[in-house]
Every structure is written in structure tokens, then in C-alpha cells.
């Protein structure tokens, strides 16, 4: 059974006081949520503060990126050991902003995924096409390449522990959400790709949608059979909106 997962990506937002207040409000709002998992991904500098606020709560801590090495001369980077020490359970990898602005390649994402799994962090692996690629009919090809390069060298047991996030680049931060049908088409495609490699394990992998998710579109997105949760950017900075997203309805089990 796939438990729906709702993750808030705070990106480069959140000085300590803001981050603590936002985490406290999410904690309060998520207290009575059953049958779904919630996580927030603050900036690195706020991870320890947010961890304290979330202590003994149902809300998990995620990081927005990491290096694959445990330590070394990698100025400005953060390692999986550091993320574990500060209490992270999840790490977002290969976000399109990392790919677009910081030159992350599929090969780097693959190394990060392996390292995250080796350190018992759950990788949330982001894939998705640009507007140009969608308009030229290349969506499935682009997503196939990204999924294959990031994941398909893994054993089935490792694939079981991964979360995939389909985030069409043209929908991120633009207010332009993919229709539930557009998202479902790609989610089903991704699950079939995983099935080729991992067989029935693919049915256990959570595939999140990301791109302008808001309280007014979440319920329709979550009706789709292969959408197992969401990765939320902008709306996750508003605790009320984020909690409403996490309270999507109707609740149902995914098998
Ligand atoms: C994201 O950054 O992962 C994202 C989906 O952003 P937004 O919800 O703002 O489109």
C-alpha cells in the first residue's frame, strides 16, 4: 500500500524565526492527520531549528539537496552524514532548479541517490520536462531518460525505498498546473518504467506530482490512481494552505 506523502519545499526561504513559526504551524495543523505522511524541507541553516520544533511530531524533516560524499574538500556542500545527524529522513534530489541553475546532471543525481540510500535517507528524485520539450512532444522521452539514468541501475530492493517526483518545469512556480490527466499519464509511464526493472516492486513506489499545487487543485490531482502525493513549493510557505493540501480529500488507499 502506498501511503500518500505531502512534502513542502521551502527553497531559499526561512530565516530562523520564520522557519520555527512555519514549522510550528504545520505541526499543529498536521497533528490529527491520519493515513498520510507529511514532511518539510527547510533551507540547511534552519534544519536544526526546525527539527527541534518538530520533535516527537508526525511531521518529518527533509533536505533540499546533498553531496554524495560523506566528507571532504567540497566547499559549500552538505553530506548525507550531516543530514542524518540533523535528523533528516528525506532528501530532495535533482530538483529542476538544481539542474537548471547549478548544472546538476543525471549522472550526479544517480550518485546522490545511491549515497542517500546507503545512508538510509529516502531520496525524492525529481524529474520533468521543460515547456519546449512538452510542446515538441518529448515529455515521455525526457522523463524516461531521467528516470533510467537516476534509478534503473539500482536493484529492486533499492528502488522500493525511492520516492519519485514528477515536476514539469513549466508548472513550477508559474501558477500553471498540469491537468490531473497530464500528470496521471506521466505517472503511469514512470511506474511502468520502474516495473520493467523492478517488477511488482513498482507498485509500492510513491510517485509525487509537483508544480503549482494549491488547495484548490489538490483534490482533483489526488483522485488520479498513480498520484501518490505532492511536492509543494510556493504554497508550502503558507501553513494554512499547506495543511489544507495535506488534508486533501477523499482519503483513499492506493495499492
Ligand atoms: C517545487 O519547487 O518543487 C514546486 C513544485 O514549486 P511550486 O509548488 O511553487 O510550483
Amino acid at each position: 500500500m502506498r501511503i500518500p506523502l505531502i512534502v513542502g519545499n521551502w527553497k531559499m526561504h526561512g530565516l530562523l524565526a520564520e522557519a520555527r513559526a512555519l514549522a510550528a504551524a504545520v505541526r499543529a495543523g498536521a497533528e490529527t492527520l491520519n493515513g498520510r505522511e507529511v514532511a518539510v524541507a527547510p533551507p540547511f541553516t534552519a534544519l536544526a531549528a526546525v527539527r527541534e520544533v518538530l520533535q516527537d511530531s508526525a511531521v518529518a524533516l527533509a533536505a533540499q539537496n546533498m553531496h554524495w560524499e560523506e566528507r571532504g574538500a567540497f566547499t559549500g556542500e552538505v553530506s548525507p552524514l550531516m543530514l542524518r545527524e540533523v535528523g533528516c529522513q528525506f532528501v530532495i534530489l535533482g530538483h529542476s532548479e538544481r539542474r537548471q541553475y547549478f548544472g546538476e546532471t543525471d549522472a550526479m543525481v544517480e550518485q546522490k541517490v545511491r549515497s542517500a540510500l546507503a545512508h538510509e535517507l529516502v531520496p525524492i528524485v525529481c524529474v520533468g520536462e521543460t515547456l519546449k520539450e512538452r510542446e515538441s512532444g518529448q515529455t515521455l522521452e525526457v522523463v524516461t531518460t531521467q528516470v533510467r539514468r537516476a534509478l534503473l541501475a539500482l536493484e529492486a530492493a533499492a528502488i522500493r525505498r525511492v520516492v519519485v517526483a514528477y515536476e514539469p518545469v513549466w508548472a513550477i512556480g508559474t501558477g500553471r498546473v498540469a491537468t490531473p490527466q497530464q500528470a496521471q499519464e506521466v505517472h503511469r509511464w514512470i511506474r511502468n518504467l520502474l516495473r520493467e526493472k523492478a517488477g511488482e516492486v513498482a507498485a509500492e513506489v510513491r510517485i509525487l506530482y509537483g508544480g503549482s499545487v494549491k488547495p484548490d487543485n489538490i483534490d482533483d490531482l489526488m483522485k488520479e490512481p498513480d498520484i501518490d502525493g505532492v511536492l509543494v513549493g510556493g504554497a508550502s510557505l503558507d501553513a494554512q494552505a499547506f495543511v489544507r493540501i495535506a488534508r486533501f480529500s477523499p482519503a483513499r488507499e492506493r495499492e
Side-chain angles (χ1 to χ4, degrees):
M1 199 183 74
R2 306 192 297 273
I3 298 170
L5 173 63
I6 317 298
V7 183
N9 173 13
W10 295 359
K11 309 197 187 191
M12 200 170 70
H13 297 284
L15 299 178
L16 289 179
E18 295 162 335
R20 283 197 189 97
L22 181 53
V26 170
R27 176 185 179 139
E31 213 129 42
T32 56
L33 274 178
N34 289 321
R36 48 202 77 182
E37 243 181 298
V38 177
V40 293
F44 291 129
T45 50
L47 283 170
V50 169
R51 195 256 318 253
E52 269 178 36
V53 174
L54 298 179
Q55 199 82 46
D56 300 320
S57 81
V59 182
L61 196 60
Q64 298 176 18
N65 180 31
M66 68 168 216
H67 195 279
W68 54 85
E69 294 288 351
E70 290 188 343
R71 56 178 64 79
F74 301 104
T75 302
E77 293 290 327
V78 171
S79 88
L81 292 181
M82 294 166 184
L83 297 186
R84 284 298 309 240
E85 184 180 46
V86 79
C88 288
Q89 292 172 36
F90 296 91
V91 58
I92 299 169
L93 296 176
H95 190 282
S96 64
E97 287 155 12
R98 302 286 326 158
R99 295 177 189 259
Q100 202 178 338
Y101 305 135
F102 303 101
E104 276 194 24
T105 62
D106 289 325
M108 291 160 80
V109 176
E110 195 222 337
Q111 290 196 74
K112 292 181 181 204
V113 171
R114 283 181 185 284
S115 173
L117 290 168
H119 292 89
E120 288 180 26
L121 288 158
V122 175
I124 301 173
V125 184
C126 302
V127 299
E129 80 288 2
T130 62
L131 185 58
K132 198 164 154 220
E133 288 162 344
R134 173 159 284 266
E135 286 176 343
S136 58
Q138 291 175 284
T139 298
L140 298 178
E141 193 184 315
V142 168
V143 167
T144 301
T145 304
Q146 290 173 334
V147 170
R148 287 218 161 110
R149 296 218 178 122
L151 299 180
L152 293 191
L154 299 175
E155 297 301 318
I159 290 178
R160 175 182 279 122
R161 290 158 53 210
V162 167
V163 173
V164 180
Y166 168 56
E167 298 209 301
V169 179
W170 48 271
I172 295 181
T174 58
R176 189 174 162 189
V177 64
T179 65
Q181 295 70 31
Q182 283 174 323
Q184 167 59 23
E185 182 196 16
V186 181
H187 282 229
R188 190 194 311 112
W189 181 267
I190 292 171
R191 199 174 306 285
N192 285 337
L193 285 174
L194 298 176
R195 193 167 282 124
E196 277 173 23
K197 170 73 191 186
E200 278 322 298
V201 160
E204 295 173 40
V205 176
R206 288 181 290 188
I207 305 177
L208 313 185
Y209 167 78
S212 297
V213 174
K214 301 276 181 307
D216 64 5
N217 55 36
I218 182 68
D219 295 344
D220 286 338
L221 287 163
M222 290 304 296
K223 283 181 191 138
E224 297 296 331
D226 289 293
I227 300 183
D228 306 314
V230 284
L231 181 52
V232 187
S236 72
L237 298 174
D238 173 339
Q240 219 185 336
F242 183 64
V243 169
R244 165 64 187 89
I245 290 168
R247 289 187 182 281
F248 71 85
S249 65
R252 66 185 187 77
E253 292 181 356
R254 284 141 202 279
E255 295 183 341

